């Protein structure tokens, strides 16, 4: 027993040890279990928190969904409202179209309307699309909520499961704790309990494993759920965005619709106004027209009223006119007869007045001629004009070209020459300053020219130093012709004016005197020297045998003659300018007239002479031919001076024959002629001594008194001006001088009263006139 006791004791000790070990293990296991359960509790706790979060999120999502639902409802109501508005607009549009279709077919509003309609339909289409999208979104949201509900359900299930598991675990824990306590209390049973515990702990382990795996699965599911939730959140976000976009679009469409509506309203307003205005205008126009029509009607009515008496008088008049027309031919005949008689009487009267007038006109004409001749006689037979040419480029520059000639502003017959510091004054019949035109000069000369038509001999000659303007005054330039051409033109026009009663023939000759030789410038042989001879008919007239005479009838003829003369003159010399300054050029115009009614014949001669230069060349030591030329010029010019002197001093002998020039000009210088000396001078300082000589010569010539002019008329029956002029008791005597031309041929009615009591009387009148200014 002892041994068994000891053995048992040993056994007991071993068991106690084992128990201790087991207890230790158990506590360790307990601890382990506790920590695990704590862990699990913590996990459950976190899961619960997560669940709570998810539930919150879900509720949030639900509330958002609810918001979206509200928004959706709002949008749907707005959509509905817009649809209604569109419908109303459509109705309005239809109405408008109906209203405007007829009057406004070509109106611009129609087009706008159609555009607006198009826009509207577009908008409607877009609204439709949006609506479809909204429906889709609705569907999606529905699906998502369904899925959410499912997930919630599943979550609930898993939570319940988990709760159960927990419950079970905690129960088992309590059980195992109880078992441990029991074991502690009953060491005998410990082994068994330990075994149970061991078995149960294996079971517990397995359960733990299961719960762990379950936990894993649940976690996975939670993860999945979270993923789904995230996706859903994403989708929700997207749908929110789309909803916002749609809202913005809807706002835009609304604005557009508003605008379109506003436009439409405006247009409708404008149309309405236009329509009203048109109606008003038409109305007012119609009123005005109505008024006018009324007025017209009233006027027509009054007219009708006034016309009735007029009609009555008209019918009356018509009847009386009918009667008159019946009597008209008779009346006409009578009136015609009396008119004829009156007309013939009037014609008779006019004729007699005409005759009387013609008679008076002729008398006046004679009187005018008489007056003219008186005037010429009073002015003197030799008239002297001075012409001062302008300073030209040829005068050069500096003091030599300075102007030395001045004029008297009050007296156009006086000029002053500043010579060697002294002012010398000269009085001529007229002085032409440099600015005087060819036309002005000719106006002073034309009376002389026309007098040659009446049968007077006229001589115009230009005197002066070379370059003083002689040729310019006589010939002039093509653009501005001188006395020659103007004189012939005047003769032509005068002759034309007298063509009714007179037949005139005008002929010209051109000659040149060079070195005392006379040459025919129009002849076939211009170098041939011509002689001056007495007319063989015993008339005492001088003539030049062989001198060519051209009959001229127009300006063209004269120009041809001048040209011919120039050509002839130019072929005869090497330097025409020099030659022409050293020769005298003569243009002799003869005017022969016949008065058809009286048979009176007249012959007048117009001598136009461009003299050679008067400068004193001989003194400057010229030699040879130049000296000869100068001597000839001097001789002829001094012969001219002598002749004039003899005439002036009324000497018995006038030396006409001393030079060819004076001999040829005898007719023009003797008592029955009119003479004009145009003294040309240069105003330049360097020419003053020559200017002085020329002006002195001019004054000398001017004081010469010729006898009264006479006309060469071949019929005694014609009472000449001169006979009319001769005062009672004055007996015409034969002219002085040695010229044969001055002797009146026997049996001829050549009236040429010479210087005698008459001329002395004229001279005394002239002196008186000069004295009285
Ligand atoms: P002359 O014949 O006396 O030698 P000209 O008639 O040849 O002189 O004149 C000399 C120059 O002076 C010419 O060039 C001419 O054109 C010019 N002349 C002369 N008189 C006038 C005038 N009154 N007006 C303009 N130029 C003139
Ligand atoms: Mg000349």
């Amino acid at each position: 027993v002892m041994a068994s006791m000891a053995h048992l004791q040993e056994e007991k000790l071993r068991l106690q040890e084992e128990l201790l070990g087991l207890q230790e293990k158990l506590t360790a296991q307990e601890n382990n279990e506790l920590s695990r359960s704590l862990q699990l509790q913590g996990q459950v706790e976190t899961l619960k928190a997560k669940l709570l979060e998810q539930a919150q999120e879900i509720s949030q999502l639900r509330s958002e969904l609810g918001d979206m639902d509200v928004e959706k409802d709002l949008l749907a109501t707005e959509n509905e409202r817009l649809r209604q508005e569109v419908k109303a607009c459509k109705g309005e549009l239809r109405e408008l179209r109906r209203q405007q279709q007829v009057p406004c077919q070509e109106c611009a509003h129609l087009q706008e309307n159609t555009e607006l309609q198009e826009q509207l339909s577009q908008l409607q289409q877009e609204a439709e699309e949006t609506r479809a999208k909204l429906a889709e979104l609705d569907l999606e949201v529905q699906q998502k909520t369904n899925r959410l509900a499912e997930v919630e359900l599943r979550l609930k299930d898993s939570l319940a499961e988990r709760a159960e598991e927990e419950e079970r675990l905690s129960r088992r824990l309590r059980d195992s704790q109880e078992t441990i306590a029991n074991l502690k209390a009953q060491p005998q049973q410990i082994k068994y309990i330990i075994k149970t515990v061991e078995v149960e702990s294996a079971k517990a382990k397995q359960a733990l494993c299961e719960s762990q795996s379950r936990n894993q699965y649940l976690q996975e599911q939670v993860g999945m759920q979270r993923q789904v939730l995230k996706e859903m959140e994403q989708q929700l976000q997207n749908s929110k965005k789309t909803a916002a976009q749609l809202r913005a679009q809807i706002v835009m469409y609304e604005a557009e619709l508003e605008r379109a509506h506003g436009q439409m309203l405006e247009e409708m307003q404008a149309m309405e106004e236009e329509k009203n205005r048109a109606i008003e205008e038409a109305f007012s126009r119609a009123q005005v027209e109505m008024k006018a029509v009324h007025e017209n009607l009233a006027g027509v009515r009054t007219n009708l009223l006034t016309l009735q008496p007029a009609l009555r008088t008209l019918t009356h008049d018509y009847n009386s006119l009918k009667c008159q027309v019946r009597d008209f031919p008779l009346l006409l005949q009578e009136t015609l007869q009396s008119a004829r008689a009156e007309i013939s009487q009037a014609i008779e009267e006019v004729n007699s007045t005409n005759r009387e007038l013609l008679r008076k006109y002729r008398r006046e004409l004679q009187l005018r001629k008489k007056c003219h001749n008186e005037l010429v006689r009073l002015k003197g037979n030799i008239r002297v004009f001075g012409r001062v040419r302008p300073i030209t480029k040829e005068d050069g520059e500096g003091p030599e070209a300075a102007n030395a000639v001045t004029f008297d502003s009050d007296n156009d017959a006086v000029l002053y020459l500043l010579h060697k510091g002294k002012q010398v004054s000269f009085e001529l019949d007229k002085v032409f300053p440099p600015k005087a035109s060819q036309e002005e000069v000719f106006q002073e000369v034309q009376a002389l020219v026309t007098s040659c038509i009446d049968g007077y001999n006229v001589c115009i000659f230009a005197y002066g130093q070379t370059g003083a303007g002689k040729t310019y005054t006589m010939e002039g330039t093509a653009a501005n012709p001188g006395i020659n051409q103007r004189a012939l033109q005047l003769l032509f026009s005068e002759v034309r004016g007298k063509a009714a009663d007179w037949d005139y023939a005008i002929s010209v000759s051109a000659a040149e005197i060079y070195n005392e030789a006379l040459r025919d410038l129009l002849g076939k042989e211009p170098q041939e020297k011509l002689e001056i001879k007495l007319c063989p008919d015993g008339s005492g007239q001088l003539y030049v045998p062989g001198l060519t005479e051209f009959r001229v009838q127009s300006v063209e003829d004269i120009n041809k003659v001048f040209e011919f003369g120039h050509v002839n003159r130019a072929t005869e010399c090497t330097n025409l300018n020099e030659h022409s300054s050293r020769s005298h050029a003569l243009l002799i115009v003869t005017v022969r007239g016949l008065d058809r009614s009286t048979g009176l014949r007249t012959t007048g001669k117009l001598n136009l002479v461009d003299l050679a230069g008067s400068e004193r060349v001989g003194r400057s030591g010229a030699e040879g031919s130049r000296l000869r030329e100068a001597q000839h010029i001097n001789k002829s010019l001094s012969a001219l001076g002598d002749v004039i002197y003899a005439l002036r001093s009324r000497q018995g002998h006038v030396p006409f024959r001393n030079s060819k020039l004076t001999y040829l000009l005898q007719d023009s210088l003797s008592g029955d002629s009119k003479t004009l000396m145009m003294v040309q001078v240069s105003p330049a300082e360097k020419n003053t001594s020559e200017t002085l000589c020329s002006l002195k010569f001019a004054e000398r010539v001017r004081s010469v008194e010729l006898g009264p002019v006479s006309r060469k008329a071949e019929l005694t029956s014609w009472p000449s001006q001169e006979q009319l002029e001769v005062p009672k008791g004055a007996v015409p005597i034969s002219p002085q001088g040695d010229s044969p031309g001055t002797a009146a041929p026997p049996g001829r009615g050549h009236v040429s009263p010479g210087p005698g009591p008459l001329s002395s009387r004229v001279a005394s009148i002239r002196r008186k006139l000069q004295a009285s200014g």
Side-chain angles (χ1 to χ4, degrees), residues 679-699:
V679 177
Q680 296 282 150
V681 293
S682 151
E685 175 65 42
K686 63 176 177 189
N687 298 128
T688 50
S689 57
E690 285 301 334
T691 304
L692 191 74
C693 281
S694 296
L695 290 171
K696 274 186 178 165
F697 179 83
E699 265 197 341

Side-chain angles (χ1 to χ4, degrees), residues 99-114:
Q99 275 183 4
Q100 298 296 327
Q101 213 145 26
V102 185
C104 197
Q105 236 150 21
E106 276 157 27
C107 182
H109 297 310
L110 202 69
Q111 204 183 340
E112 248 177 274
N113 250 354
T114 50

Side-chain angles (χ1 to χ4, degrees), residues 466-467 469-472 577 580-581 610-611:
T466 301
K470 298 183 294 294
T471 309
Y472 184 83
N577 268 346
S580 65
S581 77
D610 183 357
L611 289 170

